Amino acid sequence: MTSRVVQYRRFGGPEVLEVTEREDPEPGEGQVRLRVRAAAVNPLDWKLRSGAMARGDAPAEPKVPGFDVAGVVDAVGDGVVDLAVGDEVVGKATGGAYGETALAAAKALTRKPAEVSWEVAASVPTGATTAARALALLGLGEGDHTGTTLVVDGASGGVGVYAVQFAVARGVTVIGTASETHQDDVRALGATPVVYGEGVADRIREVAPQGVDRAFDTSGKGALRDLVALTGSPDKAVTIADYAGAQELGVTFTSGGDADTERAVLADALARVADGRLRTPAVVTYPLDQAGKAQDDNQYGRVSGKLVLLP
Ligand SMILES: NC(=O)c1ccc[n+]([C@@H]2O[C@H](COP(=O)([O-])OP(=O)(O)OC[C@H]3O[C@@H](n4cnc5c(N)ncnc54)[C@H](OP(=O)(O)O)[C@@H]3O)[C@@H](O)[C@H]2O)c1
């Protein structure tokens, strides 16, 4: 069987993405093949496509973008015991998610609750798992952290919305930065909103006379020095998006987590989404052949929310 997939053979702008027909990939040891129902667009997808994170003009072989995926298992590789053909699952793909089919390690998938739509399910993995990992690094993992004040820079984004909600649920007082447009959204998540940009540190001090204990830079837009100044120590801040700033200031940069932990976090987040305890960003859907537009809309902040491809 063949199926459609988005791929790029050279690095560059959205124009390097092409929709092509390929032979369905066979799942290897520990993998399953999914019939993809929804695949989310994340900033990492267009960063990798641009070549900014690689050497040379082209990847060694054609690349299919995307990680976050929701779909139906349609083939099972050797050694997979906990998933079967027909299972509806969510998680992270291996070798790309922007297609009608995708491969994934079984241990990178969890079951999709029936109450959660395909597009919402696909929108959750990276945001929820990254937020949980960063909070744990900040000493704000599961448990009661009443009395702690946290700043989330980029509180309206794909990672920020989960960081705010996880922290609020643990008793943390959260101050979240966002554009003017998203101040009410951040407030609705349980945080005190503050507009980002020039003067943000003063605005944060105004709403946090008690001081700031921890800071999470999800945006990577240059606020890290201010965040360190607000908390008083680089040990009390974490970034997922400012690698150079982290090196310079001695702040922890985190990327990628342990598969078992991520699967547990994702399953828990989906259960909370299913019963309404956890809000997800608004989802905007695109057909597969609009993958380049979806990536551009995300990169340039033209469309708010989580952008999801429906093959
Ligand atoms: N290291 C990792 O493991 C990891 C994992 C996931 C993501 N990331 C990275 O983290 C970043 C955010 O990812 P995401 O999925 O949350 O992106 P996203 O959904 O596109 O959200 C971006 C957020 O940044 C905010 N923002 C824009 N300009 C800002 C500024 N000058 N100051 C503060 N905030 C600003 C936006 O707010 P408005 O919409 O209100 O303008 C929005 O909340 C990306 O660079 C991504 O590559 C890293």
Side-chain angles (χ1 to χ4, degrees):
M1 287 261 290
T2 63
S3 52
R4 289 188 323 142
V5 75
V6 176
Q7 68 172 27
Y8 55 98
R9 297 165 190 273
R10 59 191 170 86
F11 298 125
E15 69 284 353
V16 301
L17 296 178
E18 57 190 16
V19 178
T20 183
E21 195 84 13
R22 74 167 178 193
E23 208 48 53
D24 287 345
E26 287 304 321
E29 172 100 25
Q31 291 184 328
V32 298
R33 185 177 64 216
L34 302 180
R35 192 114 319 248
V36 176
R37 301 296 300 270
V41 173
N42 279 293
L44 182 59
D45 305 348
W46 47 258
K47 289 181 186 178
L48 290 169
R49 185 215 67 213
S50 75
M53 300 173 78
R55 294 213 181 105
D57 298 332
E61 53 191 40
K63 284 272 183 216
V64 177
F67 298 90
D68 291 356
V69 69
V72 182
V73 174
D74 88 337
V76 175
D78 289 344
V80 175
V81 290
D82 52 351
L83 290 176
V85 170
D87 286 347
E88 299 185 348
V89 293
V90 193
K92 294 196 181 174
T94 303
Y98 292 16
E100 292 174 330
T101 55
L103 295 177
K107 67 179 182 186
L109 299 170
T110 189
R111 283 167 202 278
K112 183 185 82 65
E115 303 86 345
V116 180
S117 69
W118 289 109
E119 57 264 38
V120 168
S123 78
V124 176
T126 292
T129 59
T130 306
R133 192 174 74 245
L135 290 182
L137 286 167
L138 287 167
L140 300 175
E142 294 291 348
D144 183 13
H145 300 288
T146 303
T148 306
T149 299
L150 166 75
V151 172
V152 176
D153 189 42
S156 58
V159 177
V161 295
Y162 295 105
V164 170
Q165 293 178 89
F166 293 164
V168 166
R170 295 167 191 169
V172 176
T173 300
V174 183
I175 295 153
T177 79
S179 60
E180 288 280 5
T181 319
H182 294 129
Q183 296 290 292
D184 287 346
D185 298 339
V186 171
R187 190 177 292 108
L189 299 174
T192 301
V194 161
V195 177
Y196 57 60
E198 190 66 34
V200 69
D202 289 338
R203 289 191 289 282
I204 291 171
R205 282 192 194 95
E206 255 172 53
V207 298
Q210 75 277 23
V212 172
D213 303 301
R214 300 283 187 275
F216 178 21
D217 168 31
T218 78
S219 80
K221 300 280 186 177
L224 201 52
R225 189 175 296 279
D226 278 341
L227 297 179
V228 170
L230 283 162
T231 60
S233 167
D235 294 348
K236 295 179 177 168
V238 162
T239 180
I240 55 167
D242 185 356
Y243 185 75
Q247 298 284 99
E248 189 190 335
L249 297 164
V251 167
T252 298
F253 177 93
T254 172
S255 75
D258 161 71
D260 290 338
T261 307
E262 292 210 335
R263 177 151 81 160
V265 166
L266 178 57
D268 182 58
L270 289 165
R272 288 166 189 256
V273 171
D275 68 15
R277 282 175 292 158
L278 185 65
R279 290 180 185 224
T280 53
V283 168
V284 181
T285 62
Y286 296 71
L288 210 52
D289 60 8
Q290 296 284 307
K293 176 169 170 26
Q295 288 191 344
D296 248 21
D297 285 348
N298 176 241
Q299 179 169 1
Y300 298 107
R302 288 192 202 114
V303 176
S304 301
K306 202 76 198 175
L307 313 191
V308 172
L309 303 175
L310 300 180

